């Protein structure tokens, strides 16, 4: 366990490549700049932070915590719920959907969220963990020749993807969620290797929303194989932390350089996490080029953040 020099932040690593548990910190109120800076520093290093006793017990408190890291997005570009009280809160509810596909949040728009917060609201009696993977460790694990190839690649991301095509649709609520998810189509071209604007790390920026690689002369079949090969490095077990949810727990993860997956192992018992995300910048490639939108305007969902 380590303690930062400037604050009372206690950091316990959960794995070599990703994850840390943060203790001795109440997140329910306003945080001083040194504490926010220390949390950001820990996030840059560990990619996913687990606050077991966060002190956050309401959407308002979760909003306040997330707002320390930048302007908030609305809940989602396309999905809304009648029971939503706060426009920034997306209920990740097992009655409506399951996110058991490896993904980075909302990469189908030109500026996906920079960070995501998840708060435990209703937990099943067993299971329901969240896996989070370090996409920078995945890039570093590639042979040099594959790194050089990946550095040149761009991929199209879309919300009309396998993410909303589960093998089995069980309820009308699940069907309604899927229809809402693609009620407006988005397509964006992102670099396969994204350079993190704060750390300079290179990470594989792919996941389920990435449909195909943009290479002249490469067939859809070959494109799928390329993405599958790169994705297999993201989800290697040593690159993944497994978060077992507890009451009162909040998780903060860097959406620029991670992927996550909700494990469907709880017999569809009630499970609800509330998600609030922080607006992000436009991704940049290794050679400094930026992502660009092909279809869809998400300005109602998120402002674009400029990074100094």
């Amino acid at each position: 366990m380590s303690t930062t020099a400037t604050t009372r932040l206690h950091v316990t690593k959960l794995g070599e490549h990703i994850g840390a548990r943060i203790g001795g910190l109440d997140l329910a109120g306003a945080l001083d700049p040194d504490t926010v800076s220390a949390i950001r520093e820990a996030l840059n290093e560990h990619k996913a932070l687990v606050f077991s006793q966060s002190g956050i017990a309401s959407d308002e408190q979760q909003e306040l915590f997330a707002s320390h890291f930048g302007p908030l997005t609305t809940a989602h570009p396309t999905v809304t719920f009648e029971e939503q009280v706060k426009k920034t809160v997306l209920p990740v509810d097992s009655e409506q959907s399951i996110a058991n596909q490896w993904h980075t949040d909302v990469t189908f728009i030109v500026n996906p969220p920079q960070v995501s917060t998840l708060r435990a609201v209703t937990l099943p009696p067993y299971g329901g963990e969240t896996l989070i993977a370090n996409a920078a460790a995945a890039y570093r694990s590639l042979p040099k020749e594959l790194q050089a190839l990946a550095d040149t690649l761009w991929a199209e991301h879309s919300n009309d993807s396998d993410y909303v095509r589960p093998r089995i649709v069980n309820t009308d609520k699940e069907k309604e969620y899927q229809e809402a998810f693609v009620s407006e189509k988005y397509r964006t071209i992102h670099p396969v290797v994204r350079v993190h604007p704060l750390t300079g790390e290179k990470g594989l920026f792919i996941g389920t929303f990435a449909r195909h690689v943009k290479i002249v002369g490469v067939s859809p079949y070959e494109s799928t194989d390329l993405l599958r090969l790169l994705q297999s490095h993201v989800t290697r077990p040593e690159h993944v932390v497994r978060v077992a949810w507890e009451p009162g727990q909040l998780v903060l993860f860097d959406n620029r350089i991670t992927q996550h997956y909700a494990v469907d192992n709880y017999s569809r018992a009630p499970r609800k996490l509330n998600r609030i995300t922080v607006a992000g910048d436009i991704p940049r490639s290794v050679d400094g080029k930026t992502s660009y939108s092909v279809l869809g305007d998400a300005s109602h969902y998120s402002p674009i953040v400029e990074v100094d």
Side-chain angles (χ1 to χ4, degrees):
M1 183 173 73
S2 63
T3 304
T4 65
T6 57
T7 74
R8 58 195 178 281
L9 201 65
H10 300 283
V11 181
T12 304
K13 289 189 68 167
L14 298 176
E16 178 183 358
H17 297 293
I18 184 170
R21 188 177 300 276
I22 307 298
L25 192 60
D26 187 346
L27 306 180
L31 302 176
D32 63 80
D34 282 348
T35 300
V36 174
S37 179
I39 293 173
R40 175 71 81 173
E41 181 182 345
L43 186 65
N44 287 342
E45 179 179 355
H46 302 290
K47 316 308 181 202
L49 304 179
V50 179
F51 300 87
S52 292
Q53 296 299 323
S54 67
I56 294 178
S58 69
D59 293 338
E60 290 77 13
Q61 290 172 335
Q62 187 178 355
E63 274 189 329
L64 177 60
F65 172 70
S67 68
H68 287 99
F69 303 95
L72 303 183
T73 71
T74 58
H76 194 271
T78 59
V79 177
T80 58
F81 299 101
E82 292 181 1
E83 66 270 24
Q84 276 180 304
V85 177
K86 306 291 288 185
K87 68 176 183 178
T88 59
V89 178
L90 180 73
V92 182
D93 194 330
S94 61
E95 289 190 357
Q96 293 152 327
S97 69
I98 54 170
N100 61 338
Q101 301 272 2
W102 281 104
H103 67 287
T104 298
D105 283 337
V106 201
T107 61
F108 47 84
I109 71 167
V110 75
N111 63 313
Q114 57 166 296
V115 298
S116 293
T117 66
L118 285 173
R119 177 172 63 91
V121 178
T122 304
L123 298 178
Y126 56 85
E129 301 93 343
T130 297
L131 309 181
I132 308 174
N134 183 345
Y139 177 84
R140 292 193 296 269
S141 75
L142 294 174
K144 296 298 183 183
E145 293 80 4
L146 272 180
Q147 287 182 354
L149 172 62
D151 286 348
T152 68
L153 300 180
W154 292 73
E156 180 181 289
H157 294 233
S158 176
N159 59 326
D160 189 11
S161 69
D162 289 343
Y163 182 84
V164 287
R165 298 190 185 96
R167 295 178 180 87
I168 300 174
V169 178
N170 294 301
T171 67
D172 289 340
K173 284 189 175 182
E174 289 182 6
K175 183 178 180 181
E176 290 170 6
Y177 180 91
Q178 293 162 31
E179 291 173 349
F181 203 96
V182 294
S183 57
E184 182 178 353
K185 299 295 198 314
Y186 290 90
R187 291 166 52 207
T188 298
I189 309 300
H190 288 302
V192 166
V193 178
R194 179 181 185 176
V195 178
H196 195 287
L198 300 182
T199 68
E201 292 177 286
K202 298 177 182 179
L204 293 176
F205 198 61
I206 43 179
T208 305
F209 294 125
R211 297 200 304 182
H212 57 265
V213 175
K214 305 287 288 183
I215 308 178
V216 175
V218 171
S219 70
Y221 180 83
E222 292 166 328
S223 171
T224 299
D225 282 346
L226 271 173
L227 286 173
R228 185 182 297 117
L229 171 63
L230 295 174
Q231 182 67 21
S232 69
H233 283 262
V234 177
T235 57
R236 286 172 58 178
E238 54 265 44
H239 298 157
V240 176
V241 65
R242 190 180 190 103
V243 177
W245 287 98
E246 303 168 358
Q249 187 165 274
L250 181 134
V251 172
L252 172 72
F253 57 88
D254 191 331
N255 198 58
R256 291 165 168 149
I257 206 156
T258 63
Q259 291 183 26
H260 55 284
Y261 180 109
V263 184
D264 181 16
N265 63 347
Y266 50 96
S267 304
R268 298 299 176 87
R271 177 188 184 270
K272 182 180 178 182
L273 311 175
N274 278 0
R275 188 186 85 184
I276 296 178
T277 51
V278 180
D281 53 303
I282 299 177
R284 289 186 178 274
S285 67
V286 172
D287 60 2
K289 296 178 181 178
T290 56
S291 302
Y292 57 95
S293 175
V294 175
L295 179 67
D297 178 5
S299 58
H300 66 287
Y301 163 71
S302 174
I304 294 175
V305 172
E306 299 292 338
V307 180
D308 295 332

